[in-house]
Amino acid sequence: MTSALLGIAVSALSPAVEANSVRHYSANLDNSMWHLAENSRLECGLEHTIPRYGKVEFHSEASKELNLRMQLDMHQLPDGYGVAKIESVAPRWQPGQATYALGDMQFYKQFDGELQKQMAWRLLSELEKGRYPTFYYQDWYNATDTVAVALSSVNFRSAYDAFRGCVNALLPFSFDDIAYTVINHQADSEKLTTASQRKLEQISQYLAVDSDLELVLVNAYTDALGAREPNQQLSEQRAVEIKNFFVERGINEDRIETVGHGEDRPIAGNANELDRAKNRRVVVRLSKPSGIQL
């Protein structure tokens, strides 16, 4: 975007803003690029560099619900609290098209700017139309300056199509959804219940696309019917069966720990089949590296 184009947008603002000096930041026709920063079934990222200012990234993660956030990653983080006005500006090759307001974005001291799902999708739709979503805010250190940051729609659509394809292929559950999973067996059987088979398949799908696991902990339990020793052996067998399931899907067996507890640590009574079914369980816990350097 040229300075002249952003100047037109600024002229539509209040007289106080018109009187200020405006610093424009935007990619031009020669260096405007969009690309996929992340492209997997776990996360998708669409990124655009804004020369001399930073970058913007739209990000979506595997989850039960469709999600999206936009982050304005600035070289110079805010040194205070404020609000950026967001407007949709037409490019110069769309003469006669009006500028209109989209909304606001809150700034927090020493944090990048961020927008959540609804507004983030709206910005993407404006870019898809070939328009330039533009942020206007007062400079932190020079009260007479207005900063105008535009997202260029040049070279946007092909990258956006790829981003939407990535979003559509995201797993319909997150790591948190499967990090603690309770699996139940049928009575006196190694066979899982139908619901538990579905849970195990979800874990399998996740393991197929995320190898960054630190530990898989498998704890198996039985009900209290029968003798204690056979119940202990049964719980150990069930734990090993689940371990083998994970090993077959590429998880290093050294990272899988199994413990059979037999009929100890029940979570329900033993007087009826409903309670006993709750006790016949395998608890699978997945953990990842914390990322915290000590």
Side-chain angles (χ1 to χ4, degrees):
M1 178 182 289
T2 64
S3 296
L5 176 59
L6 277 174
I8 293 173
V10 173
S11 67
L13 300 178
S14 67
V17 172
E18 289 185 50
N20 291 347
S21 298
V22 180
R23 300 205 311 275
H24 305 143
Y25 298 93
S26 176
N28 57 38
L29 294 176
D30 296 325
N31 62 15
S32 177
M33 295 298 298
W34 290 83
H35 70 278
L36 288 181
E38 301 289 346
N39 184 14
S40 72
R41 298 201 67 195
L42 299 177
E43 56 182 334
C44 306
L46 179 62
E47 191 172 288
H48 172 64
T49 298
I50 306 168
R52 300 178 51 249
Y53 183 85
K55 64 182 178 181
V56 64
E57 181 175 1
F58 294 86
H59 190 265
S60 185
E61 297 178 343
S63 178
K64 292 179 180 179
E65 296 184 0
L66 178 64
N67 60 87
L68 181 73
R69 63 181 175 86
M70 185 225 75
Q71 182 170 300
L72 190 61
D73 186 355
M74 297 169 275
H75 292 328
Q76 186 177 41
L77 292 174
D79 195 34
Y81 301 86
V83 178
K85 299 294 183 182
I86 312 172
E87 297 188 351
S88 179
V89 179
R92 64 179 182 274
W93 53 87
Q94 293 182 0
Q97 296 293 317
T99 294
Y100 48 83
L102 297 176
D104 299 331
M105 180 175 69
Q106 297 290 326
F107 277 128
Y108 300 95
K109 187 173 183 178
Q110 295 301 304
F111 283 91
D112 290 316
E114 190 167 296
L115 295 173
Q116 298 305 315
K117 182 168 67 174
Q118 183 173 351
M119 183 58 71
W121 279 117
R122 188 172 184 188
L123 263 60
L124 288 174
S125 69
E126 294 299 312
L127 286 161
E128 187 178 19
K129 291 185 291 189
R131 298 180 66 89
Y132 284 58
T134 304
F135 300 83
Y136 300 95
Y137 61 90
Q138 187 179 51
D139 186 13
W140 314 110
Y141 302 108
N142 189 345
T144 64
D145 276 9
T146 295
V147 177
V149 184
L151 310 185
S152 170
S153 60
V154 175
N155 297 318
F156 170 77
R157 289 187 179 179
S158 61
Y160 181 45
D161 288 344
F163 177 72
R164 289 194 299 183
C166 179
V167 171
N168 289 336
L170 287 171
L171 291 176
F173 49 86
S174 67
F175 174 78
D176 290 340
D177 294 327
I178 61 169
Y180 182 92
T181 303
V182 178
I183 298 170
N184 297 103
H185 286 78
Q186 298 178 11
D188 299 320
S189 172
E190 294 300 310
K191 188 175 181 180
L192 296 171
T193 63
T194 301
S196 293
Q197 291 178 37
R198 288 196 296 266
K199 292 179 182 178
L200 202 58
E201 183 57 34
Q202 277 193 333
I203 298 175
S204 174
Q205 291 180 43
Y206 190 90
L207 296 179
V209 294
D210 187 359
S211 59
D212 186 25
L213 287 174
E214 189 172 56
L215 176 67
V216 179
L217 182 59
V218 182
N219 288 277
Y221 308 82
T222 67
D223 58 33
L225 286 182
R228 174 174 289 272
E229 183 60 27
N231 284 340
Q232 177 63 34
Q233 294 175 358
L234 180 59
S235 69
E236 292 172 1
Q237 292 171 6
R238 288 173 174 173
V240 170
E241 287 292 325
I242 300 300
K243 175 180 178 177
N244 291 339
F245 177 89
F246 292 138
V247 171
E248 290 171 2
R249 282 150 182 80
I251 301 301
N252 189 326
E253 64 178 331
D254 293 338
R255 291 190 291 165
I256 305 175
E257 294 184 8
T258 62
V259 181
H261 298 275
E263 60 190 61
D264 294 337
R265 303 181 186 177
I267 59 173
N270 198 53
N272 58 68
E273 174 55 26
L274 181 61
D275 284 345
R276 290 193 294 270
K278 296 177 182 178
N279 292 328
R280 295 191 300 269
R281 69 197 190 279
V282 176
V283 178
V284 180
R285 300 187 185 190
L286 310 180
S287 64
K288 287 187 173 186
S290 66
I292 299 175
Q293 299 295 325
L294 298 178

